[in-house]
Amino acid sequence: MRFIVYGALFIATALPSCSRLDASPSGHVAAAARARAPAVATGASVPLPGAGAVSRNADGPVRESQEAEAASGELPGWQAKLDEAMGRVNGVISSVFFADLLWWYPDARLPLVVAWLALAAVFLTLRMGFINLRAFRHAIAITRGRYTNPDEPGEVSHFQALSTALSATVGLGNIAGVAIAISIGGPGATFWLIVAGLLGMTTKFSECTLAQAYRDVGPDGSVLGGPMQYLSRGLSERGVPRLGRVLAVAFAILCIGGSLAGGNSFQVNQSLNALQETVPALVGNGWIYGLLMTALVGVVIIGGIRRIANVADKIVPLMAVIYVLGALTVIVMNAANVPHALAAIVRHAFRPEAAYGGFIGVLVVGFQRAAFSNEAGAGSAAIAHSAARTEYPIREGIVALLEPFIDTVLICTMTALVIVFSGAYANPAYETLIVGNQGAALTSRAFGEHLPYFPHVLSLAVFLFAYSTMISWSYYGERCAVWLFGVRASLPYKILFLAFVFLGSVLTATNVLEFGDLMILGMAFPNLVGVYLLSGKVKRMLDSYWADYKAGKFPVYDRKAAMGTASEG
């Protein structure tokens, strides 16, 4: 399976780009977005030569009952109370995280968190001298084991760290998120997903480098690293220890919340929606799926990062190959329409008919979904990369910059093209899925328009996407819990995580989706403060490493021997 990922990395250099979810999830903003969705759904889709009108599939009664249920949003008893409570929490938090920076302009919104992420990505890309482009080939060589010394400190190899982090990002955002982004922002949202993904490569590089630089390695070889470490220790070095401690605690709390919601309940929720498309018995019986996922996740996460990495480096290649082959098949079938689809994506990105307000709206959708998809700026992947075996922090940062490219610039573009080809984002027959944020189900319908039997294959991919994302996010949250409360917090956290696996099967998509957005995007506030303040150190480390690399000072190792040793667990 390693060879499949390596092949994908090389193929990636010749392919285009993309990323994850819906517009601003503040209560009123999300409501406004959903209110606009029917208008988008009934509006004109992108006209592609040879593309006829898309009609509802004929296996109607089950699907129609599903859509009616999604549209009604009615839940019985305690489930409704839980969903309502989460909605109230969302409203309070989102009023801060998604404060509108364009409050004086009624036709557009610019949420604070989106501006924060975008500015950081641009700043870091410029300061690091476009390392996202300069180091791309070197990143592939490191991942393949060319510079891997098996005696370096750490718990997992570069490949396993990348696989673990990718398993948390290459997930339902690539399936569900792109569909929701396009249904709200139109095809133009794809363009900004791509831009955000390319810029996010440098953000990911910076935070993962810092995670390596400030990690703690215990006597037993276990690693504790991530933003909570470089915020507390790094800012202490800068003479602001109190600020560093406050930011580190805030990050850890938000990460735990994100791991329970966006990295867990959301995955169960959206994968259940997609599986109901092909397994009608799950309609109304989501709790069965919740129990199954709880058991499967529990078996892996009890074993810690080494077991998670061993599972991730097998699941990630499998799920990526299944999904990418399906998407490529649809793209090849519609090869004549690819230029028209790409033109529509660029044209709608600037939406002249809506002028300034429409442009800002589409840009916001694209950047926000990209952030949720590749998590660049959130700091979550830095926790996984801190465990990699390496002597040079910069080296692991360079490996990490591949994540946004694979997740956002490669896989999501394929999803977007499939959705644009099918016109599913603007199909009145799917209005209830669009309004209800049922992105995974919408993508399944889009694939089904071209490959009638692929929704069954997609169900498997969705399951693998969700499962791998959940086991990786359990590690992120567990490390933060241990940092906050000590080693004794590990087991209680894992039990709580498993409880939220089940809850994801009974809560409605909208509130789970919004809460996950809030927590994961909220992590960017404390994390990026630290990355900004420590960017000078990253730049100095990069300049030193790059000079040695260009001078040929790094030894080259036998790839097979290095990877064989690294894969032992």
Side-chain angles (χ1 to χ4, degrees):
M1 286 300 177
R2 289 193 181 92
F3 298 106
I4 297 174
V5 173
Y6 299 150
L9 292 175
F10 285 119
I11 294 171
T13 59
L15 292 176
S17 329
C18 183
S19 261
R20 210 161 173 158
L21 295 185
D22 134 69
S24 165
S26 70
H28 56 284
V29 180
R34 287 189 294 277
R36 288 194 302 272
V40 175
T42 56
S45 60
V46 178
L48 300 178
V54 182
S55 61
R56 180 189 300 270
N57 265 337
D59 53 343
V62 171
R63 289 189 174 180
E64 289 176 5
S65 66
Q66 278 180 246
E67 294 171 2
E69 180 181 333
S72 67
E74 295 180 2
L75 291 171
W78 66 273
Q79 296 183 30
K81 292 181 181 179
L82 277 174
D83 191 59
E84 182 182 355
M86 186 169 284
R88 287 196 295 267
V89 172
N90 291 346
V92 174
I93 301 176
S94 65
S95 64
V96 178
F97 288 179
F98 290 88
D100 184 16
L101 298 184
L102 297 178
W103 70 89
W104 71 88
Y105 191 75
D107 296 329
R109 296 188 58 85
L110 180 58
L112 172 63
V113 68
V114 176
W116 181 244
L117 288 163
L119 288 173
V122 172
F123 168 78
L124 291 169
T125 298
L126 294 175
R127 180 153 201 188
M128 303 303 162
F130 293 91
I131 192 64
N132 54 332
L133 304 179
R134 289 191 292 137
F136 192 84
R137 291 181 60 186
H138 185 48
I140 295 174
I142 297 171
T143 305
R144 298 179 66 211
R146 183 174 173 81
Y147 298 94
T148 299
N149 179 353
D151 296 324
E152 290 175 329
E155 292 191 84
V156 296
S157 68
H158 292 296
F159 178 83
Q160 288 180 317
L162 178 64
S163 294
T164 300
L166 275 173
S167 70
T169 57
V170 178
L172 287 171
N174 306 94
I175 297 176
V178 175
I180 296 173
I182 294 177
S183 68
I184 296 217
T190 305
F191 178 88
W192 296 111
L193 289 171
I194 295 169
V195 172
L198 290 171
L199 294 174
M201 292 168 69
T202 311
T203 306
K204 188 71 68 94
F205 157 80
S206 302
E207 59 192 9
C208 291
T209 295
L210 289 171
Q212 275 279 335
Y214 289 99
R215 68 179 180 176
D216 283 333
V217 181
D220 60 349
S222 62
V223 173
L224 181 62
M228 59 281 190
Q229 285 287 95
Y230 60 73
L231 287 172
S232 58
R233 292 175 52 193
L235 295 188
S236 180
E237 291 179 0
R238 291 292 305 270
V240 283
R242 290 185 179 179
L243 173 63
R245 181 69 182 179
V246 169
L247 293 175
V249 170
F251 173 86
I253 292 172
L254 288 167
C255 184
I256 291 173
S259 72
L260 297 176
N264 184 351
S265 295
F266 168 76
Q267 305 298 320
V268 177
N269 187 280
Q270 287 285 303
S271 60
L272 174 60
N273 291 336
L275 286 170
Q276 285 174 340
E277 292 282 303
T278 55
V279 186
L282 289 176
V283 177
N285 296 303
W287 63 271
I288 297 176
Y289 181 68
L291 287 176
L292 174 64
M293 288 294 278
T294 301
L296 293 175
V297 171
V299 168
V300 173
I301 69 173
I302 300 300
I305 182 60
R306 297 186 184 185
R307 184 178 296 177
I308 291 171
N310 284 334
V311 172
D313 74 2
K314 297 173 180 63
I315 289 182
V316 169
L318 176 61
M319 70 183 187
V321 167
I322 291 174
Y323 188 74
V324 168
L325 284 179
L328 285 176
T329 300
V330 174
I331 292 171
V332 170
M333 290 171 62
N334 292 271
N337 292 333
V338 169
H340 302 280
L342 295 176
I345 287 171
V346 174
R347 184 173 65 252
H348 284 251
F350 300 96
R351 296 210 304 180
E353 70 276 11
Y356 178 65
F359 166 71
I360 292 294
V362 176
L363 182 149
V364 166
V365 171
F367 267 81
Q368 185 173 318
R369 291 310 97 211
F372 194 90
S373 180
N374 60 50
E375 295 159 18
S380 51
I383 300 174
H385 284 282
S386 70
R389 299 187 188 104
T390 185
E391 181 183 348
Y392 303 97
I394 286 292
R395 184 169 290 172
E396 189 58 28
I398 290 174
V399 171
L401 64 78
L402 290 173
E403 287 173 40
F405 184 86
I406 295 172
D407 171 271
T408 305
V409 178
L410 179 60
I411 296 180
C412 286
T413 296
M414 297 183 181
T415 303
L417 288 175
V418 171
I419 292 170
V420 172
F421 288 152
S422 69
Y425 72 95
N427 189 339
Y430 304 150
E431 179 178 321
T432 52
L433 297 180
I434 296 170
V435 176
N437 284 337
Q438 307 297 316
L442 185 63
T443 301
S444 179
R445 301 287 181 91
F447 271 96
E449 299 294 344
H450 302 278
L451 302 172
Y453 299 103
F454 191 76
H456 295 277
V457 179
L458 184 62
S459 294
L460 174 61
V462 164
F463 174 79
L464 293 174
F465 276 139
Y467 183 61
S468 62
T469 297
M470 291 160 67
I471 61 176
S472 295
W473 266 96
S474 72
Y475 176 69
Y476 298 163
E478 185 264 348
R479 291 289 84 188
C480 287
V482 167
W483 185 85
L484 279 173
F485 306 111
V487 177
R488 290 178 296 179
S490 178
L491 183 59
Y493 167 80
K494 291 175 181 178
I495 293 173
L496 180 64
F497 187 89
L498 294 176
F500 270 78
V501 174
F502 178 76
L503 287 177
S505 67
V506 299
L507 298 177
T508 64
T510 298
N511 283 341
V512 173
L513 170 63
E514 291 176 5
F515 186 72
D517 267 357
L518 289 169
M519 293 297 99
I520 293 176
L521 294 177
M523 290 159 58
F525 287 110
N527 178 54
L528 289 178
V529 170
V531 174
Y532 273 121
L533 294 177
L534 296 171
S535 61
K537 178 170 183 173
V538 176
K539 175 63 173 171
R540 290 190 295 273
M541 294 168 63
L542 172 60
D543 290 343
S544 174
Y545 177 90
W546 202 250
D548 289 345
Y549 166 64
K550 287 297 186 181
K553 294 183 179 181
F554 296 131
V556 175
Y557 297 87
D558 178 74
R559 285 203 308 268
K560 292 183 179 179
M563 292 303 296
T565 304
S567 66
E568 295 172 3

